[in-house]
Amino acid sequence: MAQLTAGTLPELERQRETRRQRRLAIGRLRANRLAVAGGAIILALALVALAAPLLAAEDQDSMTLENQFLPPSAEHPFGTDDFGRDILSRVILGSRISLQVGLVAVGIAATVGTVIGLLAGYYGGWVDTISQWAVDVMLAFPGLLLALGVVAVLGPGLLNVMIAVGIGSFPGYARLMRGQVLALKQTEYVEAARASGATGGRILTRHILPNALSPLIVLASLGVAGAILTAAALSFIGLGAQPPSPEWGAMLSSGREYLRREWWITTFPGAAIAITVLAFNLLGDGLRDALDPRATRG
Amino acid sequence: MGNRDERSDREQMGTLLVAGVSRRDLMRVAAAMAGLSGVAVVTPTPSAASGTAVGQAAAVPARQPSPGGQMIWGRAGDPDTLDPHRTNAAVASAVFTNIFDPLVGRTMDLQFEGLVAERWEISPDGLQYTFFLRPGLKFHDGTDVNAEAVKFTFDRLIDPATEAESVSWIGPLDRTEVIDPLTVRMVLREPFSPFLGNMSIAGYFGILSPTAVQQLGDEFGQRPVGSGPFRFKERITGESVTLERNPDYQNFRSYVTNKGAPYLDELVFRNIPEEQTMVAAFETGEINLLVVPPRQVPDFEANADYQVLRFEGGTNIQFLEFSMLEHEGEFGAVFKPPFDDVRLRQAVAHAINADEIIERVLEGLAIRNYGPMPVSNNGYNPEIETFGYHYDVDAANRLLDEAGWVRTSDDGPRERDGQPLRVAFWTWVSGVQERVAQVIQNQLTQVGFQVDLTTMEVATLLNRLGEPDDTSNMDLMGWGWGESDLLYMMTDSGSGVGRYQPESYRRLVTQARQVTDLQERANLYFEAMKVMLADAAMVPLWTTQLVTGVRTDLQDFKLGPQGTYVYVDAHVAE
């Protein structure tokens, strides 16, 4: 019995502390108006993306050349493009693509990065040396350049862009996770778990990973913004979404020739990218402030 | 004068070729690129043929314009070499056309006239061409333009070691003989009616300075020496090429007013890849010559500071071609499925609304063409429309139904045996090209195709088409060539319609190469086109027209008989 108490006391204490921290974090997040605004925008975007086929007046295959270059009006609030397509409909349909790209790319990056970081940090030795060497090499290249290279190998296309952005940004997650693990490895409760005979896998998944998630969430929410931007950039130069996909970057690209007169063709998808990226950045900043106890204000 | 049989052929393709690609199918792209494909319609006087010049001073200055000024042409692309035997690039030929003069040129009403050659004779069997050169002509390096130089140039051109792509354009040239210092004879292996026509494509068959070629070797392409109105001054890689006035120049072209050296100090070719940057540069006066993007034409025409020169014609053909596999067996089995069924090719032809694309995407700057012969070429006959395919969605749907491809759902593609009607459609990266492709993609979707459109750099596209990794089913292509021999050339390359070589077609276009009578040649081409259209081997769309903008601070810039730019009369406004 005594043995059991000794084993769970730090664990219970930790859980209580975690709950307290979480309450504090949520409180801090809600007090951060910008973060709340960012979150609200993302929520709205997610709803729009889910309901996109219902909200969009036209599907992506509709093309009415007689209606080309119509300025914003009641009928076409965002105007029409060079093919007479309703830009509002396309921006709405494009929200699906951008959110999907952002989440999938970050999902790939975070998963790969986390696994590598956990293993490297926990086991050290040659696993650490080799993986960190690889991460160092990849960090030496700008993310966009890396993504460009991957797309060049895989060929243009949206799926390949997601993979490319994912591969391009996983080193950051690996580096972050490794640092977290190195710190958490020394904590009392991990030592306790280890002393009570837990396996490496169990310690990593049950004890270390949950406690290392905060900075990961922050990085991921900022990463979604970066991924959306990179994907839009790749589509802008023709390596990403292929026509007639209403991807925002591709819309920007096809409208740039009309920038001087038909400003609405580029303005609205451009604004959509800007607002989405801003929202994820605000939320990410808010999360960082909220989840980092050292940043506790007043 | 010499052979007049081809007087109505309009040359001028060279300028259209795409930069940097070494394959011969390269020139296919030509026309659609914003090169120089425009060619004047058959009009008797230079003034009428040069189109409209808005805002141009009406009165021709009576006194001689004073020398000075620069003409700066903003365009996308920078030539890697200026050696006419080493490139097919449009961006290069537009430059070296000014450096090298050919033996023979064209008058405004498209008859041949002597440039380096004063006159010429053709043997009755059509196998020997004897050229009598003008005395006293000098290359830019001071050496004489003589029979030896002509022989040197053409020997180098047909030498296999040179690997000149233009060698096939002068067909069966066997050898060049020096008769005396100012007389040279070219001997052909067989009669070749496009000979003078192709050769008068300025630049590609211009006379090179043998001294310079021998001294410079491979460097010749970086410091070209010819006898044309401008001489090479400097080249900044990736940025610009600058030519300067040849002060000793004598101009023998009938359509120029200035018979001596050009008035302009310099002719600059500036590389500006982005279209809107180019327009902005023109507005600020950083450049003073450009090909106007279709959307911008009304703005340019309304601006009193700009002159707009427009052509009613063109020597290019834009079309959609179907991917073909290597022709090993019987013709008919070579189209890549699902287009091995002629009904599917015909369905595509009926499903495309070319008129709407011309009006809405090309701003009306194209002429609908139902056959593969460019509008301004000899042999173009509007009656080909009878044998062409009109926009007819019902017909397209009917053909697809008949071929067994049926609609199984309201919005998905048609299916046959559980397979969707899905085709890969390729074209190259360029604003107009991509927009046209997107509309075609949409129009084909309406009749039940699923079209996967992929765009890539033009060089990549041309290198991949016809190769083992060519996964396309069709592509949007263009050819530019002012000689009617185009119908032979376009079916003699390694991809798409280049592999379309059924006996019935091949016989007609080969025969046309040996016939000199214009009408007879035209009839042969008409029959050949009928064969090609019945097979729907490609879907001819239109011949594009080009609009050129010049700032009014430069006067008397003209469009030549072949749609070329004529700089020698241009001068600074006074």
Side-chain angles (χ1 to χ4, degrees):
Chain A
M1 203 63 190
Q3 233 180 348
L4 192 80
T5 320
T8 48
L9 239 181
E11 176 65 21
L12 283 175
E13 225 170 82
R14 185 182 66 79
Q15 280 176 6
R16 207 176 302 131
E17 171 63 14
T18 306
R19 273 197 295 275
R20 195 180 70 88
Q21 288 288 350
R22 192 173 298 154
R23 266 199 314 279
L24 276 174
I26 291 173
R28 282 195 293 267
L29 189 62
R30 285 169 68 172
N32 184 339
R33 278 193 210 153
L34 286 175
V36 170
I41 293 172
I42 292 167
L43 190 67
L45 267 171
L47 291 175
V48 166
L50 282 175
L54 302 173
L55 292 173
E58 295 177 357
D59 68 26
Q60 74 168 41
D61 287 335
S62 113
M63 197 183 267
T64 321
L65 287 177
E66 303 92 78
N67 290 344
Q68 65 182 169
F69 301 121
L70 294 180
S73 64
E75 200 184 340
H76 301 286
F78 288 2
T80 62
D81 67 6
D82 46 340
F83 298 117
R85 297 178 297 201
D86 181 47
I87 293 175
L88 176 60
S89 300
R90 289 176 66 73
V91 169
I92 290 172
L93 292 169
S95 65
R96 283 194 148 188
I97 301 172
S98 286
L99 288 184
Q100 191 189 344
V101 168
L103 296 176
V104 172
V106 166
I108 294 172
T111 310
V112 175
T114 301
V115 170
I116 292 178
L118 282 177
L119 297 177
Y122 190 75
Y123 293 107
W126 62 269
V127 181
D128 190 28
T129 312
I130 292 176
S131 65
Q132 289 313 298
W133 176 78
V135 163
D136 278 340
V137 168
M138 292 190 70
L139 280 175
F141 293 99
L144 184 61
L145 197 67
L146 215 54
L148 264 176
V150 175
V151 171
V153 172
L154 297 177
L158 205 57
L159 182 67
N160 292 344
V161 163
M162 296 186 216
I163 297 171
V165 175
I167 293 178
S169 49
F170 89 81
Y173 296 87
R175 178 54 56 83
L176 175 81
M177 196 42 100
R178 176 178 171 270
Q180 288 289 308
V181 174
L182 287 179
L184 291 173
K185 221 160 64 164
Q186 315 299 330
T187 54
E188 230 174 286
Y189 64 87
V190 170
E191 268 180 48
R194 197 182 296 138
S196 55
T199 59
R202 186 181 165 82
I203 293 173
L204 278 177
T205 51
R206 297 300 296 273
H207 298 285
I208 294 184
L209 184 60
N211 288 293
L213 274 183
S214 305
L216 191 76
I217 289 169
V218 173
L219 189 62
S221 63
L222 294 169
V224 170
I228 290 175
L229 212 52
T230 307
L234 288 172
S235 292
F236 186 87
I237 57 177
L239 293 174
Q242 296 293 317
S245 167
E247 204 276 337
W248 293 340
M251 289 174 73
L252 261 190
S253 174
S254 67
R256 72 187 194 278
E257 271 179 62
Y258 311 111
L259 196 56
R260 289 148 157 265
R261 276 210 305 209
E262 290 83 15
W263 51 269
W264 55 89
I265 300 179
T266 40
T267 304
F268 294 107
I273 295 175
I275 290 171
T276 308
V277 170
L278 180 69
F280 275 102
N281 277 330
L282 289 177
L283 182 68
D285 284 346
L287 283 172
R288 188 186 57 211
D289 292 345
L291 293 173
D292 185 353
R294 280 163 297 181
T296 313
R297 273 167 292 183
Chain B
M1 287 266 282
N3 182 359
R4 294 189 174 190
D5 288 334
E6 297 164 62
R7 64 189 177 280
S8 301
D9 291 358
R10 271 136 258 186
E11 288 6 329
Q12 179 51 20
M13 66 76 50
T15 39
L16 298 181
L17 304 189
V18 183
V21 183
S22 59
R23 283 173 49 162
R24 88 189 131 156
D25 18 359
L26 214 233
M27 54 192 161
R28 309 164 8 121
V29 227
M33 317 241 358
L36 271 186
S37 67
V39 160
V41 283
V42 190
T43 35
T45 63
S47 58
S50 58
T52 52
V54 175
Q56 200 167 357
V60 177
R63 62 197 177 86
Q64 179 96 344
S66 48
Q70 285 179 312
M71 188 119 213
I72 308 169
W73 182 8
R75 67 218 183 117
D78 178 57
D80 51 355
T81 175
L82 294 171
D83 183 337
H85 299 171
R86 293 274 162 78
T87 179
N88 270 358
V91 286
S93 97
V95 177
F96 64 62
T97 286
N98 300 287
I99 301 174
F100 303 102
D101 268 357
L103 290 169
V104 177
R106 287 303 179 89
T107 64
M108 211 61 193
D109 57 346
L110 305 168
Q111 300 187 25
F112 296 117
E113 65 178 355
L115 294 180
V116 169
E118 196 165 18
R119 62 192 180 87
W120 60 95
E121 286 167 1
I122 303 167
S123 66
D125 60 6
L127 292 178
Q128 295 190 2
Y129 286 69
T130 309
F131 296 92
F132 302 92
L133 310 187
R134 295 183 193 276
L137 297 185
K138 301 275 188 199
F139 286 113
H140 301 150
D141 58 7
T143 55
D144 290 333
V145 181
N146 55 25
E148 283 296 341
V150 175
K151 178 177 165 51
F152 177 87
T153 299
F154 283 90
D155 283 354
R156 180 178 188 258
L157 177 64
I158 63 175
D159 182 353
T162 310
E163 293 181 348
E165 305 212 358
S166 47
V167 70
S168 68
W169 311 342
I170 47 170
L173 174 64
D174 185 57
R175 61 185 186 276
T176 307
E177 298 164 349
V178 174
I179 307 295
D180 67 46
L182 291 178
T183 311
V184 68
R185 178 178 296 149
M186 296 195 189
V187 182
L188 310 187
R189 284 186 294 273
E190 55 186 275
F192 183 62
S193 50
F195 188 66
L196 282 186
N198 283 350
M199 202 165 72
S200 62
I201 291 170
Y204 284 99
F205 300 95
I207 309 303
L208 322 181
S209 161
T211 319
V213 173
Q214 280 153 1
Q215 276 175 2
L216 297 169
D218 285 344
E219 273 293 290
F220 183 75
Q222 306 304 316
R223 278 181 287 160
V225 180
S227 63
F230 290 89
R231 61 187 184 197
F232 179 78
K233 186 179 180 192
E234 69 168 340
R235 165 160 187 260
I236 304 168
T237 307
E239 206 168 293
S240 66
V241 180
T242 303
L243 310 184
E244 63 183 359
R245 172 195 311 121
N246 171 4
D248 304 322
Y249 192 68
Q250 288 177 275
N251 208 327
F252 299 102
R253 290 169 181 84
S254 57
Y255 51 87
V256 301
T257 322
N258 176 10
K259 301 297 182 187
Y263 303 124
L264 296 170
D265 284 340
E266 286 182 345
L267 197 52
V268 183
F269 300 84
R270 173 93 56 86
N271 178 18
I272 306 177
E274 186 70 29
E275 197 174 88
Q276 289 307 309
T277 313
M278 194 189 293
V279 171
F282 185 83
E283 284 172 357
T284 59
E286 198 184 320
I287 60 172
N288 46 29
L289 174 69
L290 86 174
V291 173
V292 188
R295 277 295 289 169
Q296 243 98 33
V297 170
D299 287 351
F300 271 64
E301 286 184 330
N303 193 323
D305 287 336
Y306 306 160
Q307 307 162 63
V308 175
L309 298 99
R310 196 196 269 258
F311 283 105
E312 306 300 329
T315 54
N316 65 83
I317 179 71
Q318 308 303 314
F319 56 91
L320 185 145
E321 64 180 355
F322 302 99
S323 188
M324 294 178 81
L325 306 164
E326 296 274 14
H327 42 273
E328 288 164 7
E330 279 292 296
F331 166 75
V334 295
F335 284 96
K336 191 187 287 180
F339 289 120
D340 50 343
D341 185 334
V342 67
R343 289 172 295 194
L344 263 73
R345 303 197 297 273
Q346 290 170 332
V348 168
H350 280 306
I352 296 174
N353 187 347
D355 292 316
E356 188 180 37
I357 299 175
I358 291 173
E359 184 191 343
R360 298 287 177 171
V361 181
L362 304 173
E363 308 289 323
L365 293 172
I367 301 158
R368 178 75 171 103
N369 197 339
Y370 291 91
M373 186 68 85
V375 171
S376 298
N377 285 31
N378 171 48
Y380 169 73
N381 183 345
E383 283 170 28
I384 198 67
E385 179 172 350
T386 321
F387 302 92
Y389 296 86
H390 291 79
Y391 175 54
D392 185 344
V393 172
D394 293 338
N397 280 321
R398 199 173 52 243
L399 285 160
L400 291 169
D401 286 339
E402 283 171 17
W405 294 93
V406 291
R407 284 190 189 275
T408 50
S409 64
D410 277 348
D411 49 356
R414 286 168 180 269
E415 287 183 11
R416 190 179 69 179
D417 305 331
Q419 291 296 312
L421 184 48
R422 185 172 182 181
V423 293
F425 182 30
W426 287 5
T427 199
W428 66 87
V429 179
S430 138
V432 172
Q433 193 73 6
E434 288 176 70
R435 285 199 289 280
V436 169
Q438 284 190 57
V439 178
I440 291 177
Q441 175 188 40
N442 189 263
Q443 290 171 349
L444 294 180
T445 306
Q446 307 301 322
V447 298
F449 281 91
Q450 180 183 339
V451 182
D452 300 321
L453 174 61
T454 306
T455 59
M456 55 195 95
E457 282 301 320
V458 63
T460 313
L461 177 75
L462 293 176
N463 282 326
R464 284 185 66 183
L465 284 177
E467 295 300 310
D469 70 340
D470 176 359
T471 55
S472 72
N473 297 97
M474 56 187 191
D475 59 83
L476 186 62
M477 194 39 76
W479 265 90
W481 186 264
E483 227 291 338
S484 315
D485 193 35
L486 172 63
L487 259 58
Y488 181 97
M489 298 156 78
M490 68 158 53
T491 55
D492 191 29
S493 74
S495 65
V497 77
R499 289 178 171 166
Y500 175 75
Q501 294 166 351
E503 171 59 27
S504 51
Y505 179 87
R506 193 69 164 188
R507 189 171 42 79
L508 290 162
V509 291
T510 308
Q511 204 182 332
R513 285 191 136 184
Q514 284 149 20
V515 172
T516 44
D517 182 76
L518 266 191
Q519 192 52 52
E520 203 183 325
R521 271 188 92 191
N523 292 343
L524 288 167
Y525 287 131
F526 197 76
E527 292 306 311
M529 286 195 281
K530 277 159 64 175
V531 173
M532 184 187 268
L533 289 172
D535 278 334
M538 55 114 104
V539 183
L541 298 171
W542 52 74
T543 293
T544 46
Q545 298 172 264
L546 286 175
V547 177
T548 302
V550 188
R551 287 187 64 94
T552 36
D553 50 2
L554 281 168
Q555 299 281 302
D556 293 333
F557 171 81
K558 291 176 185 169
L559 298 173
Q562 302 163 347
T564 41
Y565 287 173
V566 179
Y567 305 98
V568 292
D569 285 334
H571 59 91
V572 176
E574 299 177 27

